[in-house]
């Protein structure tokens, strides 16, 4: 990443992997989690990450579901949105809205690198607590294909 050039981030990225480190590797939403992170050129960002195979609510209502169904749905999803700033190789996500309420109004710094395959790696700068253990981690992303691009049809 280059200082002051968020243009390297601007656009949509699909999740390749969400891996946490610690005493053992962990994939909190599974090895086949999927997601999308979007960085706009006016400084906004949004990320959605989902475990595959989440169960639908039996009542079919968007704000419905039983308490157990809602808890299961939330356990299998990570989402937040806000603005971002870039300094050198650190991108800071300034969280305005989050499924995890503890992150609202927080700043989540990530060390951003692009590899030789043009994949974006966002390494956690501050550890997170998962299952009572502090963990670091890396989220790896690849550029999302344009919906009109035939190469994006898989």
């Amino acid at each position: 990443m280059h200082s002051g050039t968020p243009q390297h981030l601007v656009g949509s990225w699909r999740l390749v992997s969400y891996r946490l480190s610690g005493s053992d590797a962990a994939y909190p939403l599974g090895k086949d989690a999927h997601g999308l992170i979007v960085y706009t050129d006016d400084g906004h960002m949004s990320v959605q990450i989902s475990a595959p195979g989440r169960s639908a609510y039996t009542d079919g209502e968007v704000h419905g579901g039983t308490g157990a169904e809602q808890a299961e749905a939330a356990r299998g999803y990570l989402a937040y949105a806000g603005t971002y700033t870039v300094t050198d190789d650190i991108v800071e996500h300034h969280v305005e809205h989050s499924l995890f309420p503890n992150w609202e109004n927080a700043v989540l710094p990530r060390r951003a690198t692009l590899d030789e395959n043009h994949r974006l790696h966002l390494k956690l700068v501050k550890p997170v607590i998962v299952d009572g253990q502090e963990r670091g981690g890396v989220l790896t992303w690849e550029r999302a294909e344009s919906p009109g691009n035939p190469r994006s049809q898989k």
Side-chain angles (χ1 to χ4, degrees):
M1 303 300 304
H2 297 89
S3 178
T5 56
Q7 300 313 83
H8 289 86
L9 292 177
V10 171
S12 301
W13 301 81
R14 294 215 178 275
L15 185 69
V16 174
S17 70
Y18 170 26
R19 181 179 179 274
L20 297 179
S21 57
S23 60
D24 58 345
Y27 298 87
L29 296 178
K31 287 186 177 182
D32 50 354
H34 50 274
L36 184 72
I37 191 167
V38 177
Y39 292 101
T40 67
D41 59 3
D42 65 353
H44 289 88
M45 62 79 53
S46 177
V47 63
Q48 310 282 318
I49 303 174
S50 178
R54 294 183 316 132
S55 299
Y57 292 173
T58 36
D59 66 13
E61 292 187 29
V62 71
H63 295 290
T66 65
E69 289 172 327
Q70 291 171 348
E72 180 188 341
R75 264 192 307 277
Y77 209 86
L78 176 64
Y80 64 88
T83 60
Y84 73 100
T85 56
V86 177
T87 305
D88 298 321
D89 64 343
I90 301 295
V91 58
E92 289 184 332
H93 297 164
H94 303 265
V95 181
E96 296 174 19
H97 315 282
S98 179
L99 179 64
F100 179 50
N102 300 41
W103 280 353
E104 288 192 359
N105 302 309
V107 176
L108 305 178
R110 308 287 189 246
R111 185 169 310 284
T113 57
L114 287 171
D115 68 18
E116 64 279 356
N117 295 318
H118 305 286
R119 286 186 168 180
L120 174 65
H121 302 278
L122 297 177
K123 183 177 182 181
L124 304 182
V125 174
K126 295 179 184 175
V128 293
I129 307 288
V130 176
D131 296 328
Q133 181 183 28
E134 274 195 354
R135 293 179 176 268
V138 177
L139 292 94
T140 300
W141 306 87
E142 61 187 4
R143 286 244 181 234
E145 298 281 345
S146 167
N149 185 334
R151 293 185 315 150
S152 69
Q153 309 303 319
K154 294 183 179 179

